[in-house]
Amino acid sequence: MDRGRKAMPVQNKACMARHIQRCQERHQQKLRDMKCSIDNKCPRAASHLKTKAKKNALMEERFAQIETENRLLLEKMSHIMRFKGGIDCANDSAKYSHSLSKERRKRELQRITKENQKILKRINAARPTYNHMKWEEEAQRNDDILQNICEFKPSHRNLGGRHEPQDDDSIFGYLGLYDAVDNIPE
């Protein structure tokens, strides 16, 4: 008996003990006889999955196609045996080799080639529209402006977008920041 029942006042302890014993036995019997509420048995096998009707239909269709091809091949072989009897090695493709539009395609290709040559001549004869001298002057002017507005003056070797190899200890690469830091007036 557990402590909670011992603390309950009863008129007859023996009758109460017998009653508790019967309740526990009944409970144990119910636990043994209990049926599961979840169906964990294997599901019924579906007949349509066993027969595989689609696969059978495809196989039947394939066999029908093979039968048709075999029948046609047999007809061709019997035709050869009945009429020609020998090996058929005559090449009839030579009489159909000429094209009806061969000359027209050739003329079209020649016309396109002439047009391409004319376009190439015009491109080669065209004067350039860019003035590289003007570009150099603008680059020099931009370098002068950069020299005027920089707090740390970059060295001349870095101006104009030309990148020369730096010392290995320079982590800033083309900026040359260490060179400019060394030249700071105190």
Side-chain angles (χ1 to χ4, degrees):
M1 286 195 185
D2 58 310
R3 294 181 189 165
R5 288 197 191 110
K6 284 185 178 180
M8 279 182 23
V10 292
Q11 291 181 358
N12 190 341
K13 288 184 181 181
C15 288
M16 185 63 180
R18 210 171 35 240
H19 173 68
I20 290 172
Q21 183 68 26
R22 271 197 316 260
C23 287
Q24 285 180 349
E25 286 175 3
R26 196 178 321 131
H27 177 67
Q28 292 294 326
Q29 185 63 36
K30 284 182 179 180
L31 286 177
R32 281 191 297 271
D33 295 342
M34 183 173 57
K35 294 180 180 176
C36 62
S37 61
I38 298 173
D39 182 18
N40 56 3
K41 291 182 282 195
C42 292
R44 290 185 303 132
S47 63
H48 70 280
L49 295 177
K50 287 183 179 178
T51 58
K52 297 183 179 166
K54 177 73 173 181
K55 182 179 177 183
N56 291 341
L58 288 174
M59 290 295 290
E60 196 172 312
E61 184 179 321
R62 177 74 179 130
F63 290 146
Q65 182 183 3
I66 290 171
E67 285 295 324
T68 304
E69 290 174 0
N70 285 344
R71 184 180 48 79
L72 288 174
L73 185 60
L74 184 62
E75 285 178 7
K76 287 179 184 178
M77 288 173 59
S78 66
H79 183 276
I80 290 171
M81 294 302 285
R82 276 184 287 158
F83 294 107
K84 294 185 181 177
I87 297 174
D88 184 19
C89 60
N91 187 1
D92 297 334
S93 63
K95 55 184 160 182
Y96 301 112
S97 66
H98 65 279
S99 173
L100 298 176
S101 61
K102 184 176 181 181
E103 293 299 320
R104 186 180 56 81
R105 283 187 286 126
K106 190 185 232 184
R107 284 192 307 268
E108 183 70 18
L109 183 62
Q110 288 174 351
R111 184 187 61 80
I112 291 171
T113 305
K114 286 178 184 177
E115 285 181 8
N116 287 343
Q117 287 175 350
K118 288 178 185 177
I119 291 172
L120 181 63
K121 285 179 185 177
R122 281 187 294 193
I123 290 173
N124 289 335
R127 302 283 300 156
T129 58
Y130 297 118
N131 187 351
H132 66 92
M133 296 300 289
K134 186 176 179 182
W135 284 358
E136 288 292 330
E137 291 171 5
E138 287 178 4
Q140 183 61 40
R141 192 174 32 214
N142 288 340
D143 288 344
D144 293 341
I145 291 171
L146 180 67
Q147 284 287 338
N148 289 335
I149 64 173
C150 283
E151 183 176 346
F152 300 112
K153 305 288 185 210
S155 61
H156 281 294
R157 67 177 179 211
N158 291 331
L159 292 177
R162 294 178 291 280
H163 302 292
E164 295 185 9
Q166 297 288 321
D167 296 336
D168 290 336
D169 60 344
S170 175
I171 61 171
F172 295 99
Y174 66 90
L175 292 176
L177 190 61
Y178 285 131
D179 297 336
V181 172
D182 293 339
N183 298 332
I184 297 175
E186 294 180 10

